[in-house]
């Protein structure tokens, strides 16, 4: 660890010297002045703004695209960082003839405001011109797929879990656990983690109102610049922000039969200084959830029939400050705090070996609070593309788990009483530095280093001898290079080295150390078959480290017949991934298809085993090695300019070769997982929008369990009002079925368990959204901690499953 830290320190000093003396390595290039090209796009007949028109700027000499953008609600567009020269501006939108005009900027006059530009309707629209711009819901970029949540009316009134169900290549179960191509995925928010994610991704997503989400990026082949965490890849949630002069923002509210949401986004900017703030909260009413649990062990059979009555509520708030000292130096900071509560009462009738023995009344309260604070410095130079940055992050988290389990006979005679409290604390300190140097227009070199100091503590109120103190330190360094092999073939590759140092004390008081070093290579070859079609071949190696939910040895006996406990002896997962991808645009339609192969060692899954006390113990283990073959298909088609059909399909195999000596499981063959998402969106005159969707998930397999398939559906009607500054809508989710029945069967060598949960899923809600000011979204570079495996099973077990219903 010391050697790696010395290497990182030396690397940091070299990059700092490079940034301070940009003459090194070609920095003596002549200073380049850049400006902006702006215009306002209007309909030639009505003289009304054309919203979401596509504007591209093409170099007149090389015929290569330089930059582009979309017009806002007022038809305005501004294209930044344009070097002096001669260009062609191409403007297009469905229903209009494409317009091309010549543009010229000079060093003396780098900015060029073209004023009002008019689009004429094509031959099919000259008789009647209706301007109802709509941003593409999905965009396919070179290294990622982007889902524009703000353009999807069905998201109003929901949370991030509802948004994730519609993102290409993702599958989401009813608890909110997210998988990418059937494997674990790392979720970031604006390029960095939230402290809540360290506990449970599913809970963290429920705390983010859908109205705060601008877009979701799906990165299946992250470069070495990203942390190596996430065997399936990375999901980056981009929240709504603004970089407009003056004050702008949005207000959103939703009231429904199942959940209520509210959020506020506000930005103020004056000159070089800007401030962003966001507030959000939700409240899910307590609703009865029917549950039936059957446990079979060597000591007998136990059947529990009952109900739970849980509620969920959460709040999040953030404040960001940003200041440009000059054209080359920027300092920004952001603080975010969130709280989450999930809990309530449960009651069940107990039958032991088919004989009624009494009733259990329980109470479970789970809550957490997290603070994330970032401080970032970024320096650019006169050499276009050169950039040096240093970032620091502090994360503080605290979660509480309290439960009471009162078991009595039918006449009220006490049989057993269990009560316990667990407090978990997470503290992280992170520093990161990155340097980007463009050797030429086609060759870019990147290098960086990162250090994470992480401490996890778990305190037991009933048994202090089992207090858990876990230290995990990670040092990393990376390097990447990107260049063009030919005019149509591009290459990007790199390698990342990560050293992990782990130390803790086991339940017997013995000190345990587990240190390891890994290299993570990656490479991508991309070929442009034609201007609209791309073929891609990629390889990467990834890791999944267990987080607190997996490691915590706290014994949760909320359900005293099926207890839950973490395993601090887990090893990280290591996976190799190969992907062949194809994407094309055909007359406004999108097709993105891929084939992939994944091999994962030390797979972490939850397992059941016979506890020493005769109960079923659910814990976590490295069950073996898996290999998976799969395919994804995303397609979007417009039968008419105002009607969009979209489908997202995924299929992959599940096969595991168990570790020698591992406890037995029921699924040791090859199984098939699949998921389908279908969507129809139609825009009508007068600002009306109608959207319908359905989700189908196949049976889900793990080493020991099978969960039955599920299907749910929904729709939304939205009306733009107040000159498109506001909207009002009605959302429906499973309107004809109150409950969604989920059955899971789990079988090990000496235990058998079935769970039947009837989630109250039906939701009817009214939504209102209002935008004020000029909204223009930008993202700043932030620190990214994406190295921890999250609890994809959290909330799906015996205790959490009763209260996690949406």
């Amino acid at each position: 660890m010391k050697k790696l830290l010395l290497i990182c320190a030396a690397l940091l000093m070299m990059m700092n010297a490079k940034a301070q003396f940009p003459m090194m390595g070609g920095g003596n290039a002549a200073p380049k002045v850049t400006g902006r090209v702006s215009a306002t796009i209007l309909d030639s007949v009505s003289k009304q703004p054309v919203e979401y028109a596509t504007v591209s700027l093409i170099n007149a000499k090389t015929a290569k695209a330089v930059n582009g953008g979309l017009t806002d609600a007022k038809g305005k567009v501004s294209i930044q960082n344009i070097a002096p020269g001669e260009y062609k501006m191409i403007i297009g939108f469905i229903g209009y003839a494409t317009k091309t005009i010549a543009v010229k900027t000079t060093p003396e006059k780098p900015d060029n405001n073209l004023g009002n530009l008019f689009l004429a309707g094509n031959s099919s629209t000259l008789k009647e011109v209706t301007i109802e711009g709509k941003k593409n819901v999905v965009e396919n970029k070179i290294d990622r797929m982007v889902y524009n949540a703000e353009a999807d009316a069905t998201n109003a009134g929901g949370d991030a879990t509802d948004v994730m169900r519609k993102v290409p290549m993702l599958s989401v179960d009813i608890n909110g656990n997210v998988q990418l191509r059937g494997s674990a995925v790392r979720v970031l928010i604006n390029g960095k983690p939230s402290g809540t994610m360290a506990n449970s991704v599913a809970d963290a997503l429920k705390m983010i109102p859908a109205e705060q989400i601008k877009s979701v990026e799906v990165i299946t082949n992250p470069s070495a610049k990203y942390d190596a965490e996430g065997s399936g890849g990375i999901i980056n949630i981009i929240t709504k922000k603004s970089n407009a002069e003056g004050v702008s923002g949005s207000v959103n509210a939703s009231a429904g039969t199942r959940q209520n949401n509210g959020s506020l986004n506000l930005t103020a900017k004056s000159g070089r200084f800007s401030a962003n703030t966001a507030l959000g909260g939700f409240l899910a009413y307590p609703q009865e959830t029917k549950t039936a649990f059957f446990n079979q062990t060597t000591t007998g059979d136990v059947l529990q029939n009952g109900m739970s009555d849980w509620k969920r509520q959460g709040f999040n708030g953030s404040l960001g400050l940003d200041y440009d000292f000059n054209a080359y130096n920027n300092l920004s900071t952001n603080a975010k705090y969130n709280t989450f509560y999930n809990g309530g009462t449960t009651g069940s009738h107990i039958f032991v070996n088919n004989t009624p023995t009494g009733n259990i009344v329980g109470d479970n309260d789970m809550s957490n609070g997290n603070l994330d604070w970032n401080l970032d410095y970024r320096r650019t130079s006169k050499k276009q593309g050169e950039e040096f940055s240093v970032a620091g992050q502090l994360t503080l988290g605290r979660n509480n788990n309290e439960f009471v389990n009162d078991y009595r006979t039918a006449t009220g005679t006490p049989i057993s009483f269990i009560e316990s409290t667990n407090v978990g604390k997470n503290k992280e300190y992170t520093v990161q530095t990155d340097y980007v140097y463009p050797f030429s227009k086609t060759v870019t070199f990147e290098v960086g280093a990162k250090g994470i100091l992480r401490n996890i503590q778990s305190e037991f109120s009933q048994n202090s001898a089992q207090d858990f103190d876990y230290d995990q330190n990670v040092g990393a360094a990376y390097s990447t290079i990107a260049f063009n092999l030919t005019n149509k073939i591009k290459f990007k590759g790199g390698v990342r080295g990560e050293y992990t140092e782990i130390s803790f004390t086991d339940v017997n008081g013995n000190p345990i150390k587990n240190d390891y070093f890994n290299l993570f290579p990656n490479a991508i070859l991309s070929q442009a078959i034609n201007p609209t079609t791309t073929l891609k071949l990629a390889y990467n190696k990834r890791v999944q480290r267990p987080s607190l939910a997996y490691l915590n040895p706290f014994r949760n006996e909320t359900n005293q017949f099926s207890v839950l406990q973490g395993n601090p002896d887990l090893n990280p997962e290591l996976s190799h991934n190969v992907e062949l991808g194809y994407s094309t645009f055909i007359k406004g339609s999108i097709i993105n298809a891929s084939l992939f192969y994944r091999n994962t060692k030390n797979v972490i899954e939850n397992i059941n085993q016979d506890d020493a006390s005769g109960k079923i113990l659910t814990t976590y283990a490295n069950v073996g090695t898996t290999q998976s073959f799969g395919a994804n298909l995303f397609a979007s088609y417009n039968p008419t300019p105002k009607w969009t059909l979209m489908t997202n399909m995924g299929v992959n195999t599940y096969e595991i070769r168990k570790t020698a000596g591992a406890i037995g499981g029921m699924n040791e063959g090859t199984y098939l997982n699949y998921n389908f998402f279908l969507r129809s969106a139609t825009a009508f005159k007068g600002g009306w929008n109608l959207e319908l969707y359905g989700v189908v998930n196949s049976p889900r397999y793990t080493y020991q369990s099978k969960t039955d398939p599920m299907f749910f559906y929904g729709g939304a009607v939205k009306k733009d009002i107040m000159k498109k500054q506001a909207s009002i809508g009605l959302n429906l989710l499973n309107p004809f079925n109150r409950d969604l029945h989920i059955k899971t069967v789990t079988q090990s060598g000496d235990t058998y368990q079935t769970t039947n949960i009837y989630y109250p899923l039906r939701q009817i809600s009214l939504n209102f959204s209002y935008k004020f000011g000029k909204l223009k979204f930008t993202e700043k570079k932030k620190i990214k901690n994406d190295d921890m495996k999250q609890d994809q099973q959290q909330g799906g077990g015996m205790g959490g499953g009763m209260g996690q219903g949406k």
Side-chain angles (χ1 to χ4, degrees):
M1 183 66 180
K2 293 181 179 179
K3 292 181 180 180
L4 184 58
L5 291 176
L6 288 174
I7 294 172
C8 294
L11 187 61
L12 191 155
M13 289 187 289
M14 290 170 59
M15 289 186 292
N16 186 55
K18 186 88 169 180
Q20 297 297 325
F21 303 100
M23 297 294 287
M24 297 172 59
N28 56 354
K32 292 185 179 180
V33 179
T34 60
R36 64 178 179 270
V37 176
S38 55
T40 301
I41 312 303
L42 304 176
D43 179 85
S44 62
V45 177
S46 67
K47 303 301 187 292
Q48 295 297 311
V50 180
E51 186 180 5
Y52 296 127
T54 301
V55 181
S56 302
L57 206 61
I58 309 296
N59 189 300
K61 295 181 180 180
T62 65
K64 292 183 178 180
V66 176
N67 206 340
L70 296 173
T71 56
D72 61 15
K74 297 181 180 180
K76 295 182 178 181
V77 65
S78 181
I79 303 176
Q80 308 286 340
N81 301 319
I82 303 302
E86 296 182 4
Y87 303 92
K88 291 181 181 180
M89 177 181 280
I90 301 176
I91 309 164
F93 190 68
I94 295 176
Y96 291 91
T98 301
K99 188 181 187 69
T100 302
I101 63 172
V103 178
K104 183 178 180 179
T105 63
T106 65
E108 295 76 21
K109 191 179 178 181
D111 297 335
N112 190 347
N113 187 345
L114 302 175
N116 294 337
L117 301 177
F118 297 95
L119 290 184
N122 57 31
S123 58
S124 63
T125 59
L126 288 177
K127 294 181 180 179
E128 181 180 0
V129 178
T130 304
I131 302 169
E132 292 182 358
K134 190 173 182 64
K135 190 174 184 179
N136 290 334
V137 173
V138 175
E139 297 177 81
N140 185 19
K141 298 188 176 181
I142 293 177
D143 61 342
R144 65 197 64 194
M145 182 78 78
V146 181
Y147 168 74
N148 292 306
E150 61 182 347
D152 190 341
T154 62
N155 291 324
D159 54 39
T161 305
D162 302 307
V163 175
M164 289 295 184
R165 291 195 177 103
K166 306 171 190 178
V167 178
M169 294 183 283
L170 300 186
S171 61
V172 185
D173 66 19
I174 196 62
N175 293 319
N177 300 313
V178 181
Q179 287 191 332
L180 174 56
R181 294 173 170 174
S183 188
V185 66
R186 183 56 173 164
V187 181
L188 308 177
I189 301 177
N190 295 324
K192 63 184 185 295
S194 165
T196 312
M197 296 284 184
N199 298 308
S200 169
V201 170
D203 289 344
L205 293 177
K206 292 182 178 72
M207 279 187 277
I208 306 174
E211 287 82 3
Q212 285 188 357
I213 300 176
K214 174 179 180 268
S215 61
V216 179
E217 299 177 339
V218 180
I219 310 171
T220 57
N221 289 282
S223 75
K225 186 173 185 177
Y226 288 92
D227 290 340
E229 180 68 12
S231 57
I234 292 175
I235 300 172
N236 188 23
I237 299 174
I238 305 297
T239 58
K240 295 179 179 178
K241 296 181 181 179
S242 173
N243 194 33
E245 191 76 16
V247 178
S248 60
S250 64
V251 178
N252 304 276
S254 174
T257 58
R258 182 173 58 95
Q259 182 169 304
N260 303 291
N261 295 329
S263 64
L264 167 68
N265 297 274
L266 184 66
T267 293
K269 187 176 189 300
S270 178
R272 299 176 180 176
F273 176 78
S274 66
N276 290 273
T277 186
L279 300 172
F282 75 89
L283 170 64
Y285 301 116
Q287 295 192 45
E288 289 187 343
T289 301
K290 181 182 176 181
T291 60
F293 303 139
F294 175 75
N295 298 321
Q296 184 181 70
T297 67
T298 55
T299 59
D301 301 342
V302 178
L303 174 63
Q304 300 169 258
N305 287 324
M307 304 287 291
S308 67
D309 197 17
W310 283 26
K311 72 174 181 179
R312 296 183 295 107
Q313 62 187 38
F315 167 81
N316 69 78
S318 66
L319 175 64
L321 305 175
D322 189 281
Y323 183 72
D324 292 314
F325 292 95
N326 50 44
Y328 306 112
N329 294 274
N330 172 270
L331 186 68
S332 63
T333 185
N334 181 274
K336 180 177 182 179
Y337 178 75
N338 56 61
T339 63
F340 177 73
Y341 169 81
N342 188 20
T345 59
T346 62
S348 58
H349 303 290
I350 309 302
F351 299 83
V352 177
N353 294 325
N354 296 319
T355 302
T357 59
N359 305 309
I360 290 181
V361 176
D363 196 320
N364 195 355
D365 295 295
M366 297 179 291
S367 63
N368 59 58
N370 295 276
L371 171 67
D372 299 304
W373 176 59
N374 292 268
L375 182 63
D376 304 87
Y377 168 74
R378 182 167 59 95
R379 175 183 172 85
T380 58
S381 74
K382 295 180 180 179
K383 183 174 180 63
Q384 187 175 5
E386 185 177 22
E387 182 178 296
F388 170 75
S389 64
V390 177
Q393 176 175 290
L394 169 65
T395 296
L396 301 175
R398 178 187 177 96
N399 58 356
N400 297 278
N401 190 338
E402 302 178 18
F403 71 84
V404 173
N405 187 300
D406 189 2
Y407 185 16
R408 296 173 180 263
T409 65
T411 59
T413 303
I415 297 177
S416 68
F417 183 84
I418 305 173
E419 181 180 18
S420 187
T421 299
N422 176 231
V423 178
K425 300 177 181 179
N426 181 60
K427 185 183 296 182
E428 296 179 13
Y429 301 93
T430 305
V431 62
Q432 174 178 329
T433 182
D434 301 281
Y435 178 66
V436 182
Y437 183 77
F439 286 100
S440 67
K441 292 182 179 180
T442 60
V443 180
T444 302
F445 176 73
E446 295 179 272
V447 66
K450 184 174 185 178
I452 307 173
L453 303 179
R454 180 180 289 122
N455 175 255
I456 297 172
Q457 295 180 349
S458 178
E459 300 173 356
F460 296 76
S461 63
Q462 303 301 314
N463 188 353
S464 60
Q466 292 189 17
D467 287 353
F468 181 59
D469 196 336
Y470 184 93
D471 289 304
Q472 183 188 91
N473 302 320
V474 180
Y478 76 90
S479 176
T480 72
I481 189 167
F483 56 87
N484 294 348
L485 291 172
T486 67
N487 290 335
K488 293 186 177 182
I489 301 178
K490 298 180 180 180
F491 171 82
K492 184 172 184 179
V495 64
R496 183 180 186 91
E498 292 188 354
Y499 183 86
T500 305
E501 182 181 74
I502 294 175
S503 62
F504 64 95
T505 301
D506 66 14
V507 294
N508 298 317
N510 301 315
I512 304 295
K513 291 185 68 65
N514 183 17
D515 302 346
Y516 51 89
F517 175 78
N518 297 106
L519 286 174
F520 300 99
N522 79 287
I524 300 177
L525 274 174
S526 176
Q527 179 176 3
I529 299 175
N530 56 51
T532 61
T533 303
T534 303
L535 193 65
K536 179 176 66 175
L537 178 64
Y539 163 79
N540 63 63
K541 182 181 177 182
R542 309 287 292 168
V543 66
Q544 287 278 175
R545 298 183 183 90
S547 62
L548 174 60
Y550 284 83
L551 300 167
N552 190 355
F554 170 64
R555 188 177 172 92
N556 187 333
E557 298 196 28
T558 306
N559 183 333
Q560 71 178 67
F561 296 104
S562 182
V563 299
L564 179 67
Q565 187 174 30
N567 178 9
D569 297 319
L570 292 173
N571 292 315
E573 297 180 354
L574 291 172
S575 64
H576 298 269
N577 304 276
V578 179
E579 176 189 359
L580 177 64
Y582 171 85
S583 61
T584 186
F585 296 84
I586 305 174
K587 295 182 180 181
S589 299
I590 302 172
I591 297 177
N592 180 275
S594 62
L595 301 173
F596 67 89
Y597 168 76
R598 179 187 307 113
N599 183 283
T600 305
K601 182 182 178 182
N602 298 328
V603 174
I604 300 174
E605 289 185 0
N606 59 335
I607 63 169
N608 284 0
Q609 61 189 48
D610 197 352
D611 188 52
S613 59
K615 306 172 182 179
I616 290 182
L617 171 65
T618 300
T619 185
Y620 302 94
N622 298 109
V623 295
T625 300
T626 67
Q627 63 175 357
S628 178
F629 297 88
N632 288 103
L633 173 65
F634 172 84
S636 177
Y637 171 63
N638 292 84
T640 70
K642 297 180 181 180
W643 184 20
T644 300
L645 296 175
M646 188 176 78
T647 183
N648 179 30
M649 299 180 286
V651 60
N652 67 274
T653 60
Y654 173 85
E655 178 184 352
I656 191 161
R657 297 190 298 274
K658 69 175 183 178
T659 303
I663 190 171
M666 61 183 285
N667 299 321
E668 297 187 29
T670 301
Y671 300 89
L672 192 67
N673 294 325
Y674 58 86
N675 61 276
F676 298 96
F677 172 70
L678 303 173
R679 175 180 183 268
S680 172
T682 309
F684 299 94
K685 296 180 181 179
W688 287 93
N689 290 272
L690 172 66
E691 307 203 34
L692 303 171
Y693 68 91
V695 178
V696 178
N697 287 335
S698 73
R700 291 300 180 203
Y701 298 91
T702 67
Y703 175 55
Q704 287 190 351
S705 70
K706 174 189 175 183
T707 300
D708 280 357
M710 69 178 73
F711 167 74
F712 50 91
Y713 53 93
V717 177
K718 187 180 75 169
K719 174 68 169 68
D720 294 330
I721 58 177
M722 300 172 62
K723 297 181 179 180
K724 293 189 176 183
Q725 289 296 108
S727 67
I728 188 169
L730 173 69
N731 277 45
L732 301 175
L733 176 63
N734 266 33
F736 304 110
N737 302 90
R738 176 189 182 272
D739 298 329
L740 182 65
H741 177 206
I742 304 299
K743 178 182 178 181
T744 300
V745 176
T746 305
Q747 185 172 357
S748 64
D750 48 11
T751 69
Y752 177 83
Q753 180 184 75
T754 63
T755 66
N756 286 274
I757 301 175
Y758 297 81
Y759 288 94
L761 189 62
R762 181 166 56 198
Q763 162 88 342
I764 303 173
S765 63
L766 290 173
N767 316 292
F768 174 76
S769 177
Y770 174 68
K771 299 183 293 184
F772 54 91
K774 177 183 178 182
L775 297 177
K776 178 183 177 183
F777 304 110
T778 59
E779 294 302 324
K780 296 283 184 179
K781 176 181 287 188
K782 295 294 182 181
I783 197 166
K784 302 174 283 294
N785 271 8
D786 41 9
D787 67 309
M788 291 284 287
K789 179 177 178 70
Q790 306 305 318
D791 184 7
Q792 301 295 328
Q793 309 294 339
Q794 184 83 353
M798 296 294 290
M802 294 188 293
Q804 296 289 330
K806 284 192 52 64

